[in-house]
Amino acid sequence: QVQLVESGGGLVQAGGSLRLSCADSGRTFSNYAMGWFRQAPGKEREFVAAISRSGGSTFYADSVKGRFTISRDNAKNTVYPQMSSLKREDTAVYYCAAERSYPTSYYNQYDYWGQGTQVTVSS
């Protein structure tokens, strides 16, 4: 079974960087496309980035293009969003999710979810 655990969140100043991690305890990590979403207080959950099973294709929300980079290491069962040039607007709880077929920006199509990690950007 897929069990996802996010880590790497914390407090960072505007313009700084963070790298989040999402680790899967299962043995079928490479069989899943991975997505990242975020949710700020009072706002709906929004798509951030996604990556295909092999890592060959990546997709980003317009709000993070050029600043965030998603990658995965299937040998370590881990996906990494590298976040740079962080803005106050990036403050949110970040969630990783696994989808059994293809990467998608629609959260209702993902099969498994982590519990989230808080990212706070101060200005």
Side-chain angles (χ1 to χ4, degrees):
Q1 296 182 355
V2 176
Q3 298 182 15
L4 305 176
V5 179
E6 301 97 335
S7 62
L11 176 65
V12 63
Q13 291 184 321
S17 300
L18 279 177
R19 188 178 75 164
L20 305 182
S21 298
C22 178
D24 174 24
S25 64
R27 298 181 179 180
T28 59
F29 182 77
S30 63
N31 292 339
Y32 293 87
M34 300 296 297
W36 280 85
F37 295 79
R38 66 187 182 186
Q39 187 166 24
K43 295 185 177 181
E44 63 184 5
R45 187 170 299 184
E46 66 174 342
F47 170 74
V48 176
I51 188 167
S52 62
R53 289 177 287 180
S54 68
S57 298
T58 57
F59 308 90
Y60 299 93
D62 289 341
S63 60
V64 305
K65 285 182 179 178
R67 300 188 299 117
F68 289 13
T69 301
I70 187 169
S71 62
R72 67 190 297 163
D73 186 341
N74 288 343
K76 297 181 179 179
N77 290 355
T78 305
V79 61
Y80 307 95
Q82 175 66 52
M83 309 187 298
S84 301
S85 300
L86 285 164
K87 304 175 180 179
R88 180 67 180 86
E89 305 87 78
D90 296 318
T91 295
V93 176
Y94 284 72
Y95 300 90
C96 68
E99 205 279 331
R100 60 187 173 183
S101 295
Y102 305 102
T104 174
S105 63
Y106 298 99
Y107 64 85
N108 63 321
Q109 295 182 354
Y110 283 83
D111 301 297
Y112 302 96
W113 290 86
Q115 294 300 306
T117 185
Q118 176 71 49
V119 172
T120 302
V121 183
S122 63
S123 60

